[in-house]
Amino acid sequence: MGDPLRGMMKSLSALVLMTGAACLLCGVKASYNIGVGIADVTGPCAEVGFMGYGKVDQKGKGLHTRQFSRAFIIDDGKQRLVFVSVDGAMMGTGLRREILARLQKVYGNLYTADNVMISGTHTHSTPGGYMQNMFLDVSVLGFVRETFIALMTGIINSIRNAHETMTKGRIYMAQGELLYANINRSPTAYLANPPEERAKYEYDVDKTMVQLKFVTESGRPMGAINWFAVHPTSMNNTNHLVSSDNVGYASVLFEQRMNKGYLIGKGPFVAAFASTNLGDVSPNTDGPRCEFTGRPCDVHSSTCSGKREMCFASGPGPDMFESTRMIAEKLDNKAWDLWNGKDSEEVTGPVKSVHQFVDMPSQEAEYYDPGSQTSKTVRGCLPAMGYSFAAGTTDGPGTFAFRQGMKTENPLWNAVRNFLASPSQWDKKCHYPKPILLATGEMDFPFEWQPRIVSTQLALVGNVALACVPGEFTTMAGRRLREAVSSSVSGLRSKNVVVVGLCNTYSDYITTPEEYQVQRYEGASTLYGPHTLTLHLNQYKKLAENLEKNSRLDSGPIPPNLSDDLVCLVTPVVFDTPKWDHRFGDCISQPPERVESGMTVTAKFVAAHPRNNLTHGFTYLTVERYDDASRRWTIVATDANWETRFHWIRVSPILGTSEALIEWTVGPDVVPGNYRIRHYGSYKYIFGGIFPYQGTTKIFKVINPRSGYRG
């Protein structure tokens, strides 16, 4: 190379270096590889118990809104992180294990326990039977394979869809206050926390929504993850329609804003409203009242003076459907403000993640008692549930003569408890002051009742930390976790630490030691004793220090595989028969010939059991409008839309006959014209085989009297 050319190359290299330095100085950031994906995970919507309220008689009778899994992949060129928010009650260790095993068959070691986070939204109106812990599956009558498969395949598909859409992009973080969307359902327990600690916070629940915004390098919107502390319990324990509840509908609303012209679950933009430290947080903002008198309940015990009068919370709407809609709209509107706001900061820096299984009863940690101003070594207990757990919450009251705040044992209930398993003296001492109602750590028939080994995981995406926690942290427990993680990573602000709730494993509640002493529902459901949170804080500090030092961490003890021990008592579908002198799909109750905006159109069909085909990626119903220009029928709504409801009615269990009642509420923005409703299903033939069918109503006209259109 000649000297002039060499000099030119040196000058060019210097210019490149100077340009790069100048860009760094002026704030140009390196982008990530980002992928987003969504997939249907709707479980069996008929004759399978719901997971959440623990009511044996709360079984599915149809569909309110579909369940979806929403996946986000972030890759910095060296490491990647997968975050999944799924419309489900929670995540189970066995389910996550199977998901990872199947991913690794396709992608090798690209997706592992270290870098895959799966978080349940915690809706209480979805099918259960997939947790593989006896305590969590007992109210659903055991393991339900259909639910397990629906969640597993849907979550895998959402990750696969995210994997296939990966492109260069940027991430922005925004935070903002949202009021009148949540309240503390255990305020007396919260007040047990130190006054000087409570004085640091304005509210007894977190009012801050945190948003991660994903866009391509060209600025095209890709997706968003929003975290806001609220229980998806607007749909109460009288509901029998599968529903993603308030946070699930908020996701749909946000996606509908961005995916114009797409059916729900089909558009490229993906929006998750994921769970965080929601343990003591209720969406029922009108607060708890006595069932018949409407008077305020006793604030500590959540009881009423009437012997048969229950205490429950409701609001802000007149019924559970309106309350769900109103909370969802509040969440959606705030997320939209954050998306369009100017106060967001770009997320930059490497992606790191670490995971470790922990045997909670064997853990030890140092605890500083502010009361005595001394430190001591504390350890975990075998899992156990207290008396107040049976009282339920003001979102879903329990049964029998239990109340919240119970600290005194009852000989009769102890006798019932001891028939199952007696707690040892060590159990009683370890869990004090919790009176043990179920010594689940001593119970292993027919298989493990509650987990001893839990998943703990922490990830850093630049200057944002995601603490994936195996349960429901209360408000103050989550605040302490954020402080603990931020104090262990240099330069990390506590407000940039996100508590990712109900993640990977479910081990019920995590309260502060002070809240535990009060023994409200949350404290009674804190499995590993009064210092469950203390042990978690110690563990997440260790995970944070590991990420800070880039050191290796062992995987910890492997949870038992219970797949071969599972029991199912849910009756299978044996066969279907149509109504006498009819065929499957026949419409036996037609809509009126003309309907107006605001009216609810109904149609009834001869149907089969919905469990024959969960119609993933499709629907049990469509509302269709005839397009005069194209001379085709266009789908305007499916069973994933808020304005539709699918009711399954069992006419005769002996004969196997059933009906489908479909409702469609005509919104104000519906285009006038000719419409029809279609029903899709599959029937099980008595001699074997499952076969599809469909049915269609007569054509009816939608008119809009305000515009003068009469069709």
Side-chain angles (χ1 to χ4, degrees):
M1 184 182 294
D3 289 340
L5 184 58
R6 184 179 293 112
M8 185 184 301
M9 293 301 294
K10 286 183 178 180
S11 299
L12 183 59
S13 299
L15 179 61
V16 170
L17 289 172
M18 289 175 64
T19 303
C23 286
L24 290 174
L25 290 173
C26 64
V28 177
K29 313 293 185 180
S31 60
Y32 296 98
N33 291 309
I34 299 170
V36 300
I38 186 171
D40 193 344
V41 295
T42 307
C45 67
E47 295 188 329
V48 171
F50 286 173
M51 182 70 239
Y53 290 115
K55 290 188 64 176
V56 176
D57 61 344
Q58 190 185 17
K59 297 180 180 180
K61 296 181 181 180
L63 190 60
H64 176 220
T65 54
R66 279 197 172 257
Q67 302 169 253
F68 292 98
S69 173
R70 295 172 170 90
F72 303 80
I73 301 176
I74 307 167
D75 190 311
D76 67 355
K78 295 181 179 179
Q79 294 192 49
R80 68 175 49 188
L81 174 70
V82 181
F83 174 79
V84 178
S85 177
V86 57
D87 290 331
M90 64 278 290
M91 180 46 49
T93 300
L95 177 55
R96 180 172 180 260
R97 177 195 290 118
E98 188 64 29
I99 290 168
L100 292 174
R102 298 198 177 211
L103 285 173
Q104 287 164 14
K105 287 181 180 179
V106 178
Y107 300 108
N109 291 324
L110 189 59
Y111 301 116
T112 67
D114 282 339
N115 68 355
V116 176
M117 282 185 183
I118 309 177
S119 171
T121 62
H122 203 38
T123 169
H124 285 36
S125 292
T126 56
Y130 62 91
M131 290 301 296
Q132 300 187 2
N133 289 117
M134 186 65 185
F135 177 77
L136 294 171
D137 285 347
V138 67
S139 66
V140 191
L141 302 183
F143 178 71
V144 181
R145 184 170 179 79
E146 296 147 288
T147 310
F148 186 91
I149 294 296
L151 286 166
M152 179 189 70
T153 55
I155 291 170
I156 291 172
N157 286 339
S158 70
I159 295 173
R160 184 191 65 191
N161 292 339
H163 179 93
E164 293 176 353
T165 64
M166 292 192 72
T167 186
K168 288 287 186 181
R170 300 184 185 277
I171 306 172
Y172 298 88
M173 184 179 195
Q175 303 189 29
E177 186 176 76
L178 173 59
L179 303 179
Y180 313 113
N182 60 359
I183 62 171
N184 195 306
R185 70 185 187 191
S186 288
T188 56
Y190 179 86
L191 289 173
N193 293 305
E196 60 274 15
E197 183 180 33
R198 289 187 279 112
K200 296 190 296 183
Y201 305 99
E202 186 175 358
Y203 304 104
D204 61 0
V205 292
D206 286 337
K207 301 287 187 180
T208 300
M209 178 179 286
V210 179
Q211 182 183 92
L212 290 184
K213 172 181 178 179
F214 301 87
V215 297
T216 64
E217 283 195 318
S218 63
R220 177 179 60 83
M222 295 183 67
I225 311 172
N226 301 280
W227 288 275
F228 181 76
V230 66
H231 249 86
T233 48
S234 292
M235 301 294 290
N236 62 41
N237 62 11
T238 67
N239 173 48
H240 290 275
L241 298 180
V242 168
S243 174
S244 58
D245 213 289
N246 47 44
V247 294
Y249 184 43
S251 291
V252 169
L253 287 172
F254 203 149
E255 288 167 351
Q256 285 181 308
R257 288 182 188 264
M258 306 298 286
N259 294 324
K260 299 295 185 183
Y262 286 90
L263 294 175
I264 293 170
K266 304 296 185 181
F269 184 90
V270 178
F273 285 76
S275 62
T276 180
N277 55 320
L278 49 70
D280 54 356
V281 188
S282 171
N284 297 306
T285 53
D286 286 353
R289 296 274 175 175
C290 292
E291 186 176 7
F292 303 123
T293 64
R295 296 171 182 164
C297 312
D298 178 80
V299 68
H300 177 60
S301 64
S302 295
T303 56
C304 300
S305 56
K307 291 183 179 180
R308 295 184 178 275
E309 192 174 19
M310 300 186 105
C311 169
F312 65 91
S314 61
D319 59 44
M320 60 182 171
F321 292 99
E322 277 300 289
S323 293
T324 300
R325 180 188 62 79
M326 292 171 71
I327 295 297
E329 288 178 350
K330 288 176 183 289
L331 296 171
D332 169 57
N333 289 334
K334 186 61 190 181
W336 187 245
D337 289 343
L338 294 177
W339 180 272
N340 294 297
K342 298 180 180 179
D343 295 330
S344 61
E345 59 177 307
E346 186 166 4
V347 176
T348 61
V351 174
K352 301 179 182 180
S353 62
V354 62
H355 175 275
Q356 188 176 50
F357 286 113
V358 176
D359 182 75
M360 290 298 290
S362 67
Q363 294 300 294
E364 293 185 348
E366 286 298 309
Y367 172 68
Y368 176 77
D369 185 353
S372 63
Q373 296 185 337
T374 59
S375 295
K376 60 180 179 180
T377 300
V378 296
R379 64 171 300 162
C381 311
L382 287 174
M385 301 295 281
Y387 273 46
S388 297
F389 131 79
T393 71
T394 53
D395 289 338
T399 53
F400 306 112
F402 293 98
R403 66 184 188 278
Q404 297 204 48
M406 294 183 72
K407 296 183 183 180
T408 304
E409 294 188 351
N410 178 290
L412 174 60
W413 287 114
N414 282 356
V416 174
R417 172 199 69 194
N418 294 342
F419 179 78
L420 296 172
S422 300
S424 66
Q425 289 301 314
W426 166 251
D427 291 330
K428 294 179 180 179
K429 181 180 178 181
C430 190
H431 281 277
Y432 182 83
K434 176 200 291 182
I436 296 175
L437 179 64
L438 290 173
T440 52
E442 305 284 354
M443 301 161 68
D444 58 7
F445 180 81
F447 51 92
E448 183 181 70
W449 276 61
Q450 286 182 306
R452 290 176 50 127
I453 299 172
V454 303
S455 164
T456 65
Q457 189 177 18
L458 182 66
L460 289 175
V461 181
N463 56 340
V464 178
L466 304 180
C468 167
V469 297
E472 302 177 57
F473 274 54
T474 60
T475 299
M476 193 62 85
R479 289 168 175 171
R480 291 185 189 178
L481 180 65
R482 290 198 290 265
E483 293 286 349
V485 171
S486 64
S487 67
S488 302
V489 178
S490 58
L492 182 65
R493 297 175 294 179
S494 64
K495 72 173 188 175
N496 280 22
V497 179
V498 179
V499 178
V500 179
L502 300 111
C503 193
N504 295 345
T505 300
Y506 184 66
S507 58
D508 279 85
Y509 284 75
I510 298 92
T511 61
T512 68
E514 295 86 352
E515 292 165 349
Y516 185 92
Q517 298 300 311
V518 179
Q519 279 299 292
R520 290 272 297 178
Y521 175 86
E522 295 81 12
S525 303
T526 296
L527 294 190
Y528 309 111
H531 289 287
T532 301
L533 175 62
T534 309
L535 302 175
H536 277 299
L537 296 182
N538 184 65
Q539 172 65 13
Y540 282 87
K541 284 182 181 179
K542 184 171 74 171
L543 296 179
E545 291 166 359
N546 174 271
L547 291 181
E548 179 83 348
K549 299 175 182 177
N550 291 314
S551 57
R552 294 181 62 85
L553 194 65
D554 66 89
S555 61
I558 303 302
N561 189 337
L562 305 174
S563 302
D564 295 333
D565 301 322
L566 303 175
V567 175
C568 177
L569 300 178
V570 177
T571 305
V573 180
V574 180
F575 65 90
D576 296 286
T577 58
K579 189 176 180 179
W580 177 255
D581 202 29
H582 286 81
R583 296 177 299 177
F584 289 110
D586 283 355
C587 184
I588 55 178
S589 178
Q590 296 281 353
E593 292 184 359
R594 291 173 178 263
V595 299
E596 299 180 2
S597 297
M599 292 179 60
T600 297
V601 182
T602 62
K604 186 179 287 185
F605 296 85
V606 176
H609 207 299
R611 282 167 56 194
N612 293 327
N613 183 351
L614 303 185
T615 63
H616 273 188
F618 190 52
T619 180
Y620 290 113
L621 67 93
T622 56
V623 179
E624 301 174 2
R625 178 177 60 84
Y626 189 74
D627 186 348
D628 293 323
S630 65
R631 297 184 179 182
R632 293 181 178 179
W633 288 96
T634 302
I635 297 175
V636 298
T638 68
D639 61 18
N641 285 74
W642 176 265
E643 58 269 23
T644 64
R645 294 179 194 172
F646 172 72
H647 301 267
W648 179 75
I649 304 166
R650 171 61 89 188
V651 177
S652 172
I654 297 175
L655 299 177
T657 56
S658 54
E659 296 172 348
L661 174 66
I662 293 172
E663 297 178 337
W664 175 50
T665 300
V666 185
D669 299 325
V670 170
V671 177
N674 292 323
Y675 284 77
R676 68 183 184 186
I677 295 174
R678 306 188 79 179
H679 165 53
Y680 299 87
S682 298
Y683 68 90
K684 189 171 186 178
Y685 187 46
I686 191 170
F687 295 115
I690 294 176
F691 304 93
Y693 70 87
Q694 58 180 277
T696 309
T697 66
K698 295 178 180 178
I699 297 172
F700 59 94
K701 288 185 179 294
V702 172
I703 62 176
N704 188 344
R706 290 178 298 178
S707 66
Y709 178 88
R710 292 288 169 179

